Amino acid sequence: MIGNSDPLATQGSSPVDVRPTGAALGAEIRGVDLRSIGEAEFRSVHQAWLDHSVLLFRDQTLQDDDLIRFSRRFGDLDIAPVQETGRRFVEGYPEIYVVSNVVGADGEPIGSLGAGEAVWHTDMSYLPQPPKMSMLYAIEVPPAGGETGFSNMYAAYDGLPDALKRRIEGLQIKHDGTYNSGGYLRQGVTATDDPRTSPGAIHPLVCSHPETGRRNLYLGRRRNAYLPGLSLEESEALLDELWRHATRDELSWYNRWRVGDLVMWDNRCTMHRRNPFAPDSRRVMHRTQVQGQSRPAA
Ligand code: OGA
Ligand code: MN
């Protein structure tokens, strides 16, 4: 929060223009150039991000250096995971992960996730300490499709019937590390479809957000998820029921990308997915991720 010593706060107005989407989450921030954002503006953006979980900034012109510099204001960045092709990262920018269907001169895709659907997921929750924030910047967008949807996992938890809340109290969930959201096998992992034995991290199924204190459902992704301690059949049935609640349309908001859009999301209390788009059109996005400061906790 902005303290009383802040002259802008005492004027009673936020230094940035926050426009909630009107959907279950998300807000657009107007009138900010992310290359040169001041301290008071930054604090307002940070608060708006905690309040709305997803922020959209339009009409930005960011080089990788600008994207990294802005991302770093939220904390230390992760080194990007290896691309599906085994390619490591953008030359000279180990923090940048490329999401793209574009095929390079060597015949290999320059990034990950192709042009297909990316299913609902939370980023890298198969790790013990997943990133707290992801930022995606649109460099090239297809004329149609490729929209990214976000869903509110606070509201998903709040909206569960009481009996279901009681049933999942204290349960843990394994977040699978075998496949990414495009269905591609991760680098260095052996394919397996047994949720009980697949690699991954175990987290509380209901987490408390370390900054807002609010409880949220923490599902990660559906494929190969498992609720340890339950039989496979019980685990599958309960997960299916939770996913039906968590993926209702009224919990989500979609961004229809324009070149120059920067979207940043709170990876601890949201999920996201992507619509497919025509494989012969081009989509190029650069992503950074800010390290989490703590493990997901109940
Ligand atoms: C991601 C992701 C979806 C998209 O970058 O983590 O899931 O719309 N991207 O590109
Ligand atoms: Mn993702």
Side-chain angles (χ1 to χ4, degrees):
M1 287 298 286
I2 295 171
N4 283 338
S5 59
D6 189 322
L8 288 161
T10 54
Q11 286 167 14
S13 64
S14 167
V16 297
D17 182 3
V18 181
R19 311 266 180 112
T21 61
L25 75 173
E28 183 181 348
I29 307 288
R30 297 263 182 93
V32 172
D33 181 342
L34 296 177
R35 291 173 302 188
S36 58
I37 172 171
E39 191 50 34
E41 284 176 307
F42 174 74
R43 277 179 287 156
S44 292
V45 165
H46 187 261
Q47 188 59 45
W49 172 67
L50 291 176
D51 292 343
H52 300 284
S53 303
V54 184
L55 297 181
L56 165 66
F57 301 81
R58 301 217 111 131
D59 304 317
Q60 302 297 313
T61 42
L62 306 179
Q63 301 299 317
D64 286 332
D65 286 314
D66 303 314
L67 178 59
I68 289 170
R69 197 176 311 111
F70 176 61
S71 304
R72 277 217 181 105
R73 295 182 74 163
F74 294 91
D76 292 335
L77 303 189
D78 275 327
I79 299 301
V82 182
Q83 305 279 347
E84 286 149 4
T85 55
R87 199 186 285 244
R88 190 68 186 120
F89 17 63
V90 180
E91 196 56 42
Y93 294 96
E95 301 90 348
I96 300 278
Y97 183 73
V98 180
V99 178
S100 185
N101 65 317
V102 171
V103 174
D106 59 0
E108 295 281 358
I110 63 168
S112 294
L113 293 184
E117 177 186 359
V119 297
W120 284 115
H121 68 282
T122 298
D123 287 335
M124 298 171 73
S125 57
Y126 58 94
L127 300 177
Q129 195 162 303
K132 67 175 179 180
M133 172 192 280
S134 300
M135 272 191 208
L136 204 52
Y137 177 62
I139 296 168
E140 290 186 65
V141 302
E147 301 87 357
T148 308
F150 296 88
S151 72
N152 182 333
M153 291 297 105
Y154 295 128
Y157 177 73
D158 292 341
L160 292 179
D162 286 342
L164 193 49
K165 277 188 185 155
R166 280 194 297 274
R167 203 158 131 226
I168 65 173
E169 189 70 39
L171 286 186
Q172 295 195 303
I173 180 169
K174 183 164 75 179
H175 290 231
D176 175 61
T178 313
Y179 301 101
N180 74 13
S181 60
Y184 298 88
L185 196 64
R186 291 185 194 281
Q187 280 291 316
V189 177
T190 309
T192 169
D193 288 297
D194 186 339
R196 292 165 300 191
T197 55
S198 74
I202 293 176
H203 299 298
L205 178 54
V206 179
C207 290
S208 297
H209 192 288
E211 292 181 84
T212 68
R214 296 176 60 194
R215 304 189 90 194
N216 61 277
L217 212 46
Y218 194 52
L219 294 176
R221 61 197 70 208
R222 179 64 187 90
R223 190 170 182 183
N224 276 358
Y226 179 58
L227 302 170
L230 273 61
S231 72
L232 185 56
E233 294 70 27
E234 285 171 330
S235 171
E236 290 290 308
L238 186 47
L239 287 170
D240 283 344
E241 194 175 346
L242 291 170
W243 274 87
R244 268 197 301 279
H245 283 281
T247 53
R248 284 176 295 131
D249 283 345
E250 62 262 37
L251 299 181
S252 69
W253 167 76
Y254 279 78
N255 188 40
R256 287 187 57 189
W257 292 93
R258 300 192 330 213
V259 170
D261 282 359
L262 180 292
V263 172
M264 50 184 253
W265 61 91
D266 191 331
N267 195 46
R268 299 163 292 192
C269 56
T270 63
M271 296 199 296
H272 54 282
R273 66 173 293 280
R274 181 191 73 192
N275 286 327
F277 57 97
D280 57 353
S281 57
R282 293 169 62 96
R283 188 175 188 270
V284 181
M285 325 281 280
H286 280 191
R287 187 185 78 181
T288 55
Q289 291 184 309
V290 182
Q291 290 174 17
Q293 284 130 330
S294 56
R295 294 175 68 127

Coordinates of all heavy atoms in Angstrom, one line a residue, residues 97 99 113 118 121 123 134 136 146-148 181 257 265 272-274 283 285 287 289, ligand 1:
Y97 N 12.0 -16.4 -22.4 CA 11.5 -17.6 -23.0 C 10.6 -17.2 -24.2 O 9.9 -16.2 -24.1 CB 10.6 -18.2 -21.9 CG 10.0 -19.6 -22.3 CD1 10.8 -20.7 -22.3 CD2 8.6 -19.7 -22.5 CE1 10.2 -22.0 -22.6 CE2 8.0 -20.9 -22.7 CZ 8.8 -22.1 -22.8 OH 8.2 -23.3 -23.0
V99 N 7.6 -17.8 -26.8 CA 6.4 -18.6 -27.1 C 6.1 -18.3 -28.5 O 5.7 -17.1 -28.9 CB 5.2 -18.2 -26.2 CG1 4.0 -19.0 -26.6 CG2 5.6 -18.4 -24.7
L113 N 5.3 -24.1 -27.7 CA 3.8 -24.2 -27.7 C 3.2 -24.2 -29.0 O 1.9 -24.4 -29.1 CB 3.2 -23.0 -26.8 CG 3.5 -23.1 -25.3 CD1 2.7 -22.0 -24.6 CD2 3.1 -24.4 -24.7
A118 N -3.3 -24.3 -25.9 CA -2.6 -24.6 -24.6 C -3.7 -24.7 -23.5 O -4.5 -23.8 -23.4 CB -1.6 -23.4 -24.3
H121 N -3.6 -24.1 -17.2 CA -2.5 -24.4 -16.3 C -1.9 -23.2 -15.6 O -2.3 -22.1 -15.8 CB -1.3 -25.0 -17.2 CG -0.7 -23.9 -18.1 ND1 -1.3 -23.5 -19.2 CD2 0.5 -23.2 -17.9 CE1 -0.5 -22.6 -19.8 NE2 0.6 -22.4 -19.0
D123 N 2.0 -21.8 -14.4 CA 3.3 -22.0 -14.9 C 4.2 -22.7 -13.9 O 4.4 -22.2 -12.8 CB 4.0 -20.6 -15.3 CG 3.4 -20.1 -16.6 OD1 2.9 -20.9 -17.4 OD2 3.4 -18.9 -16.8
S134 N 4.4 -14.2 -14.2 CA 4.9 -14.3 -15.5 C 4.4 -13.1 -16.3 O 3.4 -12.6 -16.0 CB 4.3 -15.6 -16.2 OG 4.6 -16.8 -15.5
L136 N 4.1 -11.6 -20.4 CA 4.1 -12.0 -21.8 C 4.0 -10.8 -22.6 O 3.0 -10.0 -22.4 CB 3.0 -13.0 -22.0 CG 3.0 -14.0 -23.2 CD1 4.3 -14.8 -23.2 CD2 1.8 -14.9 -23.1
G146 N -5.5 -17.5 -30.9 CA -4.3 -17.2 -30.1 C -4.6 -16.3 -28.9 O -3.7 -15.9 -28.2
E147 N -5.9 -16.1 -28.6 CA -6.3 -15.4 -27.4 C -5.8 -16.1 -26.1 O -5.9 -17.4 -26.1 CB -7.8 -15.1 -27.3 CG -8.4 -14.4 -28.5 CD -8.8 -15.3 -29.6 OE1 -8.5 -16.5 -29.5 OE2 -9.3 -14.8 -30.6
T148 N -5.4 -15.4 -25.1 CA -5.0 -16.0 -23.8 C -6.1 -15.8 -22.8 O -6.5 -14.6 -22.6 CB -3.7 -15.5 -23.4 OG1 -2.7 -15.7 -24.4 CG2 -3.2 -16.4 -22.2
S181 N 1.9 -27.3 -21.3 CA 0.5 -27.0 -21.6 C 0.1 -27.2 -23.0 O -1.1 -27.4 -23.3 CB 0.2 -25.6 -21.2 OG 0.9 -24.7 -21.9
W257 N -5.0 -10.4 -28.3 CA -3.7 -9.7 -28.3 C -3.6 -8.7 -29.5 O -4.0 -9.0 -30.6 CB -2.6 -10.8 -28.5 CG -2.4 -11.6 -27.3 CD1 -3.0 -12.8 -27.1 CD2 -1.6 -11.3 -26.2 NE1 -2.6 -13.3 -25.9 CE2 -1.7 -12.4 -25.3 CE3 -0.8 -10.3 -25.8 CZ2 -1.1 -12.5 -24.1 CZ3 -0.1 -10.3 -24.6 CH2 -0.3 -11.4 -23.7
W265 N 0.7 -11.7 -15.0 CA -0.2 -12.4 -14.1 C 0.4 -12.9 -12.9 O 1.6 -13.2 -12.8 CB -1.0 -13.5 -14.9 CG -0.2 -14.6 -15.4 CD1 0.1 -15.8 -14.8 CD2 0.4 -14.7 -16.7 NE1 0.8 -16.6 -15.6 CE2 1.0 -16.0 -16.8 CE3 0.5 -13.9 -17.8 CZ2 1.7 -16.5 -17.9 CZ3 1.1 -14.4 -19.0 CH2 1.7 -15.6 -19.0
H272 N -4.1 -20.1 -16.7 CA -4.3 -19.5 -18.0 C -4.3 -20.6 -19.1 O -3.9 -21.7 -18.8 CB -3.3 -18.4 -18.3 CG -1.8 -18.9 -18.2 ND1 -1.2 -19.0 -16.9 CD2 -0.9 -19.3 -19.1 CE1 0.0 -19.4 -17.1 NE2 0.2 -19.6 -18.4
R273 N -4.9 -20.3 -20.2 CA -4.9 -21.2 -21.4 C -4.8 -20.3 -22.6 O -4.9 -19.1 -22.6 CB -6.2 -22.0 -21.4 CG -7.4 -21.3 -21.6 CD -8.7 -22.2 -21.8 NE -8.6 -22.9 -23.0 CZ -8.9 -22.5 -24.2 NH1 -9.3 -21.2 -24.4 NH2 -8.8 -23.2 -25.3
R274 N -4.6 -21.0 -23.8 CA -4.6 -20.3 -25.0 C -5.4 -21.0 -26.1 O -5.3 -22.2 -26.2 CB -3.1 -20.2 -25.5 CG -3.0 -19.4 -26.8 CD -1.7 -19.5 -27.4 NE -1.4 -20.8 -28.0 CZ -0.2 -21.2 -28.4 NH1 0.8 -20.5 -28.3 NH2 -0.1 -22.4 -29.0
R283 N 3.0 -15.9 -34.6 CA 2.7 -15.4 -33.3 C 4.1 -15.5 -32.6 O 4.7 -16.5 -32.5 CB 1.7 -16.2 -32.6 CG 1.2 -15.7 -31.2 CD 0.1 -16.6 -30.7 NE -0.6 -16.1 -29.5 CZ -0.3 -16.4 -28.3 NH1 0.8 -17.2 -28.1 NH2 -1.0 -16.0 -27.3
M285 N 5.9 -14.2 -29.0 CA 5.8 -13.6 -27.7 C 7.0 -13.8 -26.9 O 7.6 -14.9 -27.0 CB 4.6 -14.2 -26.9 CG 3.4 -14.6 -27.7 SD 2.3 -13.2 -28.1 CE 1.4 -13.1 -26.6
R287 N 8.6 -14.0 -23.0 CA 8.1 -14.1 -21.6 C 9.3 -14.0 -20.6 O 10.4 -14.5 -20.9 CB 7.4 -15.5 -21.5 CG 6.8 -15.7 -20.1 CD 6.2 -17.1 -19.9 NE 7.3 -18.0 -19.6 CZ 7.1 -19.3 -19.4 NH1 5.9 -19.9 -19.6 NH2 8.1 -20.1 -19.1
Q289 N 9.9 -14.5 -16.2 CA 9.2 -15.0 -14.9 C 10.0 -14.5 -13.7 O 11.2 -14.5 -13.7 CB 9.1 -16.5 -15.0 CG 8.2 -17.0 -16.0 CD 8.0 -18.5 -16.0 OE1 8.9 -19.2 -16.1 NE2 6.7 -18.9 -16.0
Ligands
OGA1 C1 3.0 -19.0 -21.1 C2 1.7 -19.4 -21.8 C3 0.2 -18.9 -23.5 C4 0.1 -18.0 -24.7 O1 3.7 -18.2 -21.8 O2 3.2 -19.4 -20.0 O3 1.1 -20.3 -21.3 O4 -1.0 -17.4 -24.9 N1 1.4 -18.8 -22.9 O5 1.1 -17.8 -25.3

